[in-house]
Amino acid sequence: MAKKFPLHPKRPERICWGCDKYCSADALMCGNGAGRTLHPAEMLGEDWYLHGDWGLEVDAPVKDPSDDSA
């Protein structure tokens, strides 16, 4: 079974997100000749999983603690 893809990892810059190995950024094992693949939150923001079809099963929307409108 594959690992569940984290929506909000604590330190995404420390890991390569390009495959299911989740290698350390300084010890890539996939050998694709490229650098570290960024986590979508690093590129698109914290609500990255709400836009587009990522094929992820999200239990419930995560409430933004800075949103006091509710």
Coordinates of all heavy atoms in Angstrom, one line a residue:
M1 N 0.8 -1.2 0.0 CA 0.0 0.0 0.0 C 0.9 1.2 0.0 O 1.9 1.3 0.7 CB -0.9 0.0 1.3 CG -1.9 1.1 1.3 SD -3.1 0.9 2.6 CE -2.5 2.1 3.8
A2 N 0.6 2.2 -0.8 CA 1.3 3.4 -0.9 C 1.0 4.3 0.3 O 0.0 4.3 0.9 CB 1.0 4.2 -2.2
K3 N 2.0 5.1 0.6 CA 1.9 6.1 1.7 C 0.8 7.1 1.3 O 0.7 7.5 0.2 CB 3.2 6.8 2.0 CG 4.3 5.9 2.5 CD 5.6 6.7 2.7 CE 6.7 5.8 2.9 NZ 8.0 6.5 3.0
K4 N 0.1 7.6 2.3 CA -0.9 8.7 2.1 C -0.2 10.0 1.9 O 0.8 10.3 2.6 CB -1.8 8.8 3.3 CG -3.0 9.8 3.1 CD -3.9 9.7 4.2 CE -5.0 10.7 4.0 NZ -6.0 10.7 5.0
F5 N -0.5 10.7 0.8 CA 0.2 11.9 0.5 C -0.2 13.0 1.4 O -1.4 13.3 1.6 CB -0.2 12.3 -1.0 CG 0.7 13.4 -1.5 CD1 2.0 13.1 -2.0 CD2 0.3 14.7 -1.5 CE1 2.8 14.1 -2.4 CE2 1.1 15.7 -2.0 CZ 2.4 15.4 -2.5
P6 N 0.7 13.6 2.1 CA 0.4 14.7 3.1 C -0.1 16.0 2.5 O 0.5 16.5 1.6 CB 1.7 14.9 3.9 CG 2.7 14.5 2.9 CD 2.1 13.4 2.1
L7 N -1.2 16.5 3.0 CA -1.7 17.8 2.5 C -0.9 19.0 3.0 O -0.7 19.9 2.3 CB -3.2 18.0 2.9 CG -4.1 16.9 2.5 CD1 -5.5 17.2 3.0 CD2 -4.1 16.8 1.0
H8 N -0.4 18.9 4.3 CA 0.3 20.0 4.9 C 1.5 19.5 5.6 O 1.5 19.5 6.9 CB -0.6 20.8 5.8 CG -1.8 21.3 5.2 ND1 -1.8 22.4 4.4 CD2 -3.1 20.9 5.3 CE1 -3.1 22.7 4.0 NE2 -3.9 21.8 4.5
P9 N 2.6 19.1 4.9 CA 3.8 18.6 5.7 C 4.4 19.8 6.4 O 4.4 20.9 6.0 CB 4.7 18.1 4.5 CG 4.2 18.8 3.3 CD 2.8 19.1 3.5
K10 N 5.1 19.5 7.5 CA 5.7 20.5 8.3 C 6.9 21.2 7.7 O 7.0 22.4 7.7 CB 6.1 19.9 9.7 CG 5.0 19.6 10.6 CD 5.5 19.1 11.9 CE 4.3 18.8 12.8 NZ 4.7 18.5 14.2
R11 N 7.8 20.4 7.1 CA 9.0 21.0 6.4 C 9.1 20.4 5.0 O 9.9 19.5 4.7 CB 10.2 20.6 7.2 CG 10.2 21.1 8.7 CD 10.3 22.6 8.7 NE 11.5 23.2 8.0 CZ 12.4 23.9 8.6 NH1 12.3 24.3 9.8 NH2 13.4 24.3 7.8
P12 N 8.2 20.8 4.1 CA 8.2 20.2 2.7 C 9.5 20.4 2.0 O 9.9 19.6 1.1 CB 7.1 20.9 2.0 CG 6.9 22.2 2.7 CD 7.3 21.9 4.1
E13 N 10.3 21.4 2.3 CA 11.6 21.6 1.6 C 12.6 20.6 1.9 O 13.7 20.5 1.2 CB 12.1 23.0 1.9 CG 12.6 23.2 3.3 CD 11.5 23.5 4.4 OE1 10.3 23.6 4.0 OE2 11.9 23.8 5.5
R14 N 12.4 19.8 2.9 CA 13.4 18.8 3.3 C 13.3 17.5 2.5 O 14.1 16.5 2.6 CB 13.3 18.5 4.7 CG 13.8 19.6 5.6 CD 13.7 19.2 7.1 NE 14.2 20.3 7.9 CZ 14.2 20.2 9.2 NH1 13.9 19.1 9.8 NH2 14.7 21.2 9.9
I15 N 12.2 17.3 1.7 CA 11.8 16.1 1.1 C 11.6 16.3 -0.4 O 11.1 17.3 -0.8 CB 10.6 15.5 1.7 CG1 10.8 15.1 3.2 CG2 10.1 14.2 1.0 CD1 9.6 14.7 3.9
C16 N 12.0 15.3 -1.2 CA 11.6 15.3 -2.6 C 10.3 14.6 -2.8 O 10.1 13.5 -2.3 CB 12.7 14.6 -3.5 SG 12.3 14.4 -5.2
W17 N 9.3 15.2 -3.5 CA 8.0 14.7 -3.6 C 7.7 14.1 -5.0 O 6.6 13.9 -5.3 CB 7.0 15.8 -3.3 CG 7.2 16.4 -2.0 CD1 7.9 17.5 -1.6 CD2 6.7 15.9 -0.7 NE1 7.9 17.7 -0.3 CE2 7.1 16.7 0.3 CE3 5.9 14.8 -0.4 CZ2 6.8 16.5 1.6 CZ3 5.6 14.6 0.9 CH2 6.0 15.5 1.9
G18 N 8.8 13.8 -5.7 CA 8.6 13.3 -7.1 C 8.1 11.9 -7.2 O 7.7 11.5 -8.3
C19 N 8.3 11.0 -6.2 CA 7.8 9.6 -6.3 C 7.4 9.2 -4.9 O 7.4 10.0 -4.0 CB 8.9 8.7 -6.8 SG 10.3 8.5 -5.8
D20 N 7.0 8.0 -4.7 CA 6.6 7.5 -3.4 C 7.7 7.1 -2.5 O 7.4 6.6 -1.4 CB 5.6 6.4 -3.6 CG 6.1 5.2 -4.2 OD1 7.3 5.2 -4.7 OD2 5.4 4.1 -4.3
K21 N 8.9 7.4 -2.8 CA 10.0 7.1 -1.9 C 10.2 8.2 -0.9 O 10.8 8.0 0.2 CB 11.3 6.9 -2.7 CG 11.3 5.7 -3.5 CD 12.6 5.6 -4.3 CE 12.6 4.4 -5.2 NZ 13.9 4.2 -5.9
Y22 N 9.8 9.5 -1.2 CA 9.9 10.6 -0.3 C 11.3 10.7 0.3 O 11.6 10.8 1.5 CB 8.9 10.6 0.8 CG 7.5 10.5 0.3 CD1 6.5 9.7 0.9 CD2 7.1 11.4 -0.7 CE1 5.2 9.7 0.5 CE2 5.7 11.3 -1.1 CZ 4.8 10.5 -0.5 OH 3.5 10.5 -1.0
C23 N 12.3 10.8 -0.6 CA 13.7 10.9 -0.2 C 14.1 12.2 0.4 O 13.4 13.2 0.1 CB 14.6 10.7 -1.4 SG 14.4 9.2 -2.3
S24 N 15.1 12.2 1.2 CA 15.6 13.5 1.7 C 16.1 14.3 0.6 O 16.6 13.8 -0.4 CB 16.8 13.1 2.7 OG 17.5 14.3 3.1
A25 N 16.0 15.6 0.7 CA 16.4 16.5 -0.4 C 17.9 16.4 -0.8 O 18.3 16.7 -1.9 CB 16.1 17.9 -0.1
D26 N 18.7 15.9 0.1 CA 20.2 15.8 -0.2 C 20.6 14.3 -0.5 O 21.8 14.0 -0.5 CB 21.0 16.4 0.9 CG 20.7 15.7 2.3 OD1 19.9 14.8 2.4 OD2 21.4 16.1 3.3
A27 N 19.6 13.4 -0.6 CA 19.9 12.0 -0.9 C 18.9 11.4 -1.8 O 18.2 10.5 -1.4 CB 20.0 11.2 0.4
L28 N 18.7 11.9 -3.0 CA 17.7 11.5 -3.9 C 18.1 10.1 -4.5 O 19.2 9.9 -4.9 CB 17.5 12.4 -5.1 CG 17.2 13.9 -4.6 CD1 17.1 14.8 -5.8 CD2 15.9 13.9 -3.9
M29 N 17.1 9.1 -4.4 CA 17.4 7.8 -4.9 C 16.8 7.4 -6.2 O 17.2 6.4 -6.8 CB 16.8 6.8 -3.9 CG 17.6 6.8 -2.5 SD 17.1 5.5 -1.4 CE 15.4 5.8 -1.2
C30 N 15.9 8.2 -6.8 CA 15.2 7.8 -8.0 C 16.1 8.0 -9.2 O 15.8 7.3 -10.2 CB 13.9 8.6 -8.2 SG 14.1 10.4 -8.4
G31 N 17.1 8.8 -9.2 CA 18.1 8.9 -10.3 C 17.5 9.4 -11.6 O 18.0 9.1 -12.6
N32 N 16.5 10.3 -11.5 CA 15.9 10.8 -12.7 C 16.8 12.0 -13.3 O 16.4 12.5 -14.3 CB 14.5 11.3 -12.5 CG 14.4 12.4 -11.5 OD1 15.4 13.0 -11.1 ND2 13.2 12.8 -11.2
G33 N 17.9 12.3 -12.7 CA 18.7 13.3 -13.2 C 18.3 14.8 -12.9 O 18.9 15.7 -13.3
A34 N 17.2 14.9 -12.2 CA 16.7 16.2 -11.9 C 16.9 16.5 -10.4 O 17.4 15.7 -9.7 CB 15.2 16.3 -12.2
G35 N 16.6 17.7 -10.0 CA 16.7 18.1 -8.6 C 15.4 17.7 -7.9 O 14.6 16.9 -8.4
R36 N 15.3 18.2 -6.7 CA 14.2 17.9 -5.8 C 12.9 18.4 -6.4 O 12.7 19.5 -6.9 CB 14.4 18.6 -4.5 CG 13.3 18.3 -3.5 CD 13.6 19.0 -2.2 NE 13.2 20.4 -2.3 CZ 12.0 20.9 -2.0 NH1 11.0 20.1 -1.7 NH2 11.7 22.2 -2.1
T37 N 11.8 17.5 -6.4 CA 10.5 17.9 -6.8 C 9.8 18.6 -5.7 O 9.7 18.0 -4.5 CB 9.7 16.7 -7.3 OG1 10.4 16.1 -8.3 CG2 8.3 17.1 -7.7
L38 N 9.2 19.8 -5.9 CA 8.6 20.5 -4.8 C 7.2 19.9 -4.5 O 6.6 19.3 -5.3 CB 8.3 22.0 -5.3 CG 9.5 22.8 -5.7 CD1 9.1 24.1 -6.2 CD2 10.4 23.0 -4.5
H39 N 6.8 20.1 -3.2 CA 5.5 19.7 -2.8 C 4.5 20.8 -3.4 O 4.8 21.9 -3.5 CB 5.4 19.8 -1.3 CG 4.1 19.3 -0.7 ND1 3.0 20.0 -0.7 CD2 3.7 18.0 -0.3 CE1 2.0 19.3 -0.1 NE2 2.4 18.1 0.1
P40 N 3.3 20.4 -3.8 CA 2.3 21.3 -4.4 C 2.1 22.5 -3.5 O 1.8 23.6 -4.0 CB 1.1 20.5 -4.6 CG 1.5 19.1 -4.7 CD 2.8 19.0 -3.8
A41 N 2.1 22.4 -2.2 CA 1.9 23.5 -1.3 C 3.0 24.6 -1.5 O 2.7 25.8 -1.3 CB 1.8 23.1 0.1
E42 N 4.2 24.2 -1.8 CA 5.3 25.1 -2.0 C 5.1 26.0 -3.3 O 5.5 27.1 -3.4 CB 6.6 24.4 -2.2 CG 7.1 23.7 -0.9 CD 8.4 22.9 -1.1 OE1 8.3 21.8 -1.5 OE2 9.4 23.6 -0.9
M43 N 4.4 25.4 -4.3 CA 4.2 26.1 -5.5 C 2.8 26.8 -5.6 O 2.7 27.9 -6.1 CB 4.2 25.1 -6.7 CG 5.6 24.4 -6.8 SD 5.6 23.3 -8.2 CE 4.6 21.9 -7.6
L44 N 1.8 26.2 -5.0 CA 0.4 26.7 -5.2 C -0.2 27.3 -4.0 O -1.3 27.8 -4.0 CB -0.4 25.6 -5.7 CG 0.1 24.9 -7.0 CD1 -0.8 23.7 -7.3 CD2 0.1 25.9 -8.2
G45 N 0.4 27.1 -2.8 CA -0.1 27.6 -1.6 C -0.8 26.5 -0.7 O -0.9 25.4 -1.2
E46 N -1.2 26.9 0.5 CA -1.7 25.9 1.4 C -3.1 25.3 1.0 O -3.4 24.2 1.4 CB -1.9 26.5 2.8 CG -0.6 26.9 3.5 CD 0.2 25.7 3.7 OE1 -0.3 24.7 4.2 OE2 1.4 25.7 3.5
D47 N -3.8 25.9 0.1 CA -5.1 25.3 -0.4 C -4.9 24.6 -1.7 O -5.9 24.5 -2.4 CB -6.2 26.4 -0.4 CG -5.9 27.5 -1.4 OD1 -4.7 27.6 -1.9 OD2 -6.8 28.3 -1.8
W48 N -3.8 24.2 -2.0 CA -3.5 23.6 -3.3 C -4.4 22.4 -3.7 O -4.8 22.3 -4.8 CB -2.0 23.1 -3.3 CG -1.7 21.9 -2.4 CD1 -1.4 22.1 -1.1 CD2 -1.9 20.5 -2.6 NE1 -1.2 20.8 -0.5 CE2 -1.5 19.9 -1.4 CE3 -2.2 19.8 -3.7 CZ2 -1.5 18.5 -1.3 CZ3 -2.2 18.4 -3.6 CH2 -1.9 17.8 -2.4
Y49 N -4.8 21.6 -2.7 CA -5.6 20.4 -3.0 C -7.1 20.7 -3.3 O -7.8 19.9 -3.8 CB -5.5 19.4 -1.8 CG -6.0 20.0 -0.5 CD1 -7.3 19.9 -0.1 CD2 -5.2 20.8 0.3 CE1 -7.8 20.4 1.1 CE2 -5.6 21.3 1.5 CZ -6.9 21.2 1.8 OH -7.4 21.7 3.0
L50 N -7.5 22.0 -3.1 CA -8.9 22.4 -3.4 C -9.1 22.7 -4.9 O -10.2 22.8 -5.3 CB -9.3 23.6 -2.5 CG -9.2 23.4 -1.0 CD1 -9.5 24.7 -0.3 CD2 -10.2 22.3 -0.6
H51 N -8.0 22.9 -5.6 CA -8.1 23.4 -7.0 C -7.5 22.3 -7.9 O -6.4 21.8 -7.7 CB -7.2 24.6 -7.2 CG -7.6 25.7 -6.2 ND1 -8.8 26.4 -6.3 CD2 -7.0 26.2 -5.1 CE1 -8.8 27.3 -5.3 NE2 -7.8 27.1 -4.6
G52 N -8.3 21.8 -8.8 CA -7.9 20.8 -9.7 C -8.2 19.4 -9.2 O -8.8 19.2 -8.1
D53 N -8.0 18.4 -10.0 CA -8.2 17.0 -9.7 C -6.9 16.3 -9.4 O -6.2 15.9 -10.3 CB -9.0 16.3 -10.8 CG -9.4 14.9 -10.4 OD1 -9.3 14.5 -9.2 OD2 -9.8 14.1 -11.3
W54 N -6.6 16.1 -8.1 CA -5.3 15.5 -7.8 C -5.4 14.0 -7.5 O -4.4 13.4 -7.3 CB -4.8 16.2 -6.5 CG -4.4 17.6 -6.7 CD1 -5.2 18.7 -6.6 CD2 -3.1 18.1 -7.1 NE1 -4.5 19.9 -6.9 CE2 -3.2 19.5 -7.2 CE3 -1.9 17.5 -7.5 CZ2 -2.2 20.3 -7.6 CZ3 -0.9 18.3 -7.8 CH2 -1.0 19.7 -7.9
G55 N -6.7 13.5 -7.5 CA -6.9 12.1 -7.3 C -6.6 11.7 -5.8 O -6.3 10.6 -5.5
L56 N -6.8 12.7 -4.9 CA -6.6 12.4 -3.5 C -8.0 12.4 -2.8 O -8.9 13.1 -3.2 CB -5.8 13.6 -2.8 CG -4.4 13.8 -3.3 CD1 -3.8 15.1 -2.7 CD2 -3.5 12.6 -3.1
E57 N -8.1 11.5 -1.8 CA -9.3 11.5 -1.0 C -9.1 12.3 0.2 O -8.3 12.0 1.1 CB -9.6 10.0 -0.6 CG -9.9 9.1 -1.7 CD -10.3 7.7 -1.3 OE1 -10.6 7.5 -0.1 OE2 -10.2 6.8 -2.1
V58 N -9.8 13.5 0.3 CA -9.7 14.4 1.4 C -10.9 14.2 2.3 O -12.0 14.3 1.8 CB -9.6 15.8 0.9 CG1 -9.5 16.8 2.0 CG2 -8.4 16.0 -0.1
D59 N -10.6 13.9 3.6 CA -11.7 13.6 4.5 C -12.6 14.8 4.7 O -13.8 14.6 4.5 CB -11.1 13.2 5.9 CG -10.3 11.9 5.8 OD1 -10.6 11.1 4.9 OD2 -9.4 11.8 6.6
A60 N -12.1 15.9 5.0 CA -12.9 17.1 5.2 C -12.1 18.3 4.9 O -10.9 18.3 5.2 CB -13.5 17.2 6.7
P61 N -12.7 19.4 4.5 CA -11.9 20.6 4.2 C -11.2 21.1 5.5 O -11.8 21.0 6.6 CB -12.9 21.6 3.7 CG -14.1 20.8 3.3 CD -14.1 19.6 4.1
V62 N -10.0 21.5 5.4 CA -9.2 22.0 6.6 C -9.5 23.4 6.7 O -9.4 24.2 5.8 CB -7.7 21.7 6.4 CG1 -7.0 22.3 7.6 CG2 -7.4 20.3 6.2
K63 N -10.0 23.8 7.9 CA -10.4 25.2 8.2 C -9.1 26.0 8.4 O -8.2 25.6 9.1 CB -11.3 25.3 9.4 CG -11.8 26.7 9.7 CD -12.6 26.8 10.9 CE -13.1 28.2 11.2 NZ -12.2 29.3 11.1
D64 N -9.1 27.2 7.7 CA -8.0 28.1 7.9 C -8.2 28.8 9.2 O -9.2 29.5 9.4 CB -8.0 29.1 6.7 CG -6.8 30.1 6.8 OD1 -6.0 30.0 7.7 OD2 -6.7 30.9 5.9
P65 N -7.2 28.7 10.1 CA -7.3 29.4 11.4 C -7.4 30.9 11.4 O -7.9 31.5 12.3 CB -6.1 28.9 12.2 CG -5.2 28.3 11.3 CD -6.0 28.0 10.0
S66 N -6.9 31.5 10.3 CA -6.9 32.9 10.2 C -8.3 33.4 9.6 O -8.5 34.6 9.6 CB -5.8 33.4 9.3 OG -6.0 32.9 8.0
D67 N -9.1 32.5 9.2 CA -10.5 32.9 8.7 C -11.5 33.0 9.8 O -11.9 32.0 10.4 CB -10.9 31.8 7.7 CG -12.3 32.2 7.0 OD1 -12.6 33.4 7.1 OD2 -12.9 31.3 6.5
D68 N -11.8 34.2 10.2 CA -12.8 34.4 11.3 C -14.2 34.8 10.8 O -15.0 35.3 11.6 CB -12.3 35.6 12.2 CG -11.0 35.2 12.9 OD1 -10.8 34.0 13.1 OD2 -10.2 36.1 13.2
S69 N -14.5 34.5 9.6 CA -15.8 34.9 9.0 C -16.9 34.0 9.4 O -18.0 34.3 9.3 CB -15.7 35.0 7.5 OG -15.4 33.7 7.0
A70 N -16.6 32.8 9.9 CA -17.6 31.8 10.3 C -18.0 31.9 11.7 O -17.5 32.3 12.6 CB -17.1 30.4 10.0

